[in-house]
Amino acid sequence: AQSVSQHNHHVILSEAASLELGCNYSYGGTVNLFWYVQYPGQHLQLLLKYFSGDPLVKGIKGFEAEFIKSKFSFNLRKPSVQWSDTAEYFCAVNLPSSASKIIFGSGTRLSIRP
Amino acid sequence: DAGVTQSPTHLIKTRGQQVTLRCSPKSGHDTVSWYQQALGQGPQFIFQYYEEEERQRGNFPDRFSGHQFPNYSSELNVNALLLGDSALYLCASSLASGLAQPQHFGDGTRLSIL
């Protein structure tokens, strides 16, 4: 069965530090990849998505993610975090053949020290 | 722009009871998906409804059932509640198409089973 692994459960950074959150998935075929963010007290929001093409994807609020097919990875990055980036981040995947079913990782809680 | 709305916000039930959760999709969306998010976990796909029919189902027992109405709103029903059903139930809506469409999430219904 397909699965998504986020190895960092809680990451604590200072403002202006660089961020990289890891995401690995287990499926050998074509996949669609997503990062969702959940700010405190808010609903899940799409941060960025990858369907095909350029493996470096840019999203909202200065986030980007790189799809590395050989490593089955889709890591999220931001060069300089802000206090407002404090949130829970979820990596997710679905298969084009099963477009309705999104499989989420367990999430990474990001805390930014002001 | 009305996003995805869910009701109620919170609900407390006892074991063995039945519960109905409601969801109105984002304006213009015709597809509704339901997810269960246990504490400390990522959302898990329950099922998706399109054209008033269940299109795909995750690994959940038959105690979980749903319905979609002609106005695209949806209900999630859970029978014979167990303590393990305590979770945040998320509704997500999207527009059906041949490609995976990003799903827009509601704030969820927090269900507590005593």
Side-chain angles (χ1 to χ4, degrees), chain B residues 12-74:
Chain B
I12 300 174
K13 292 285 188 178
T14 57
R15 282 179 297 175
Q17 284 189 311
Q18 178 265 343
V19 69
T20 297
L21 310 181
R22 295 176 176 82
C23 172
S24 293
K26 179 180 167 68
S27 178
H29 285 182
D30 57 8
T31 302
V32 173
S33 303
W34 286 93
Y35 293 82
Q36 181 194 66
Q37 186 176 14
L39 200 61
Q41 300 295 318
Q44 287 194 55
F45 177 78
I46 302 175
F47 43 52
Q48 184 181 80
Y49 276 84
Y50 171 66
E51 291 188 338
E52 302 180 48
E53 290 190 358
E54 184 181 292
R55 184 156 78 167
Q56 190 167 5
R57 189 179 185 92
N59 189 25
F60 279 81
D62 292 345
R63 298 186 297 109
F64 290 77
S65 63
H67 188 77
Q68 186 179 35
F69 299 94
N71 67 353
Y72 308 120
S73 67
S74 176

Side-chain angles (χ1 to χ4, degrees), chain A residues 3 11 87 92 107:
Chain A
S3 66
V11 172

Side-chain angles (χ1 to χ4, degrees), chain B residues 1 6 8 14-15 18 24 32 37 40 47 55 64 70 77-79 83 89 92 94 97 103:
Chain B
D1 178 21
Q6 293 185 242
T14 57
R15 282 179 297 175
Q18 178 265 343
S24 293
V32 173
Q37 186 176 14
F47 43 52
R55 184 156 78 167
F64 290 77
N77 301 292
V78 187
N79 295 322
L83 291 178
Y89 288 84
S94 57
S97 80
Q103 298 184 4

Side-chain angles (χ1 to χ4, degrees), chain B residues 101-114:
Chain B
Q101 291 294 315
Q103 298 184 4
H104 295 249
F105 285 82
D107 291 334
T109 293
R110 174 77 59 189
L111 176 62
S112 299
I113 310 301
L114 303 180

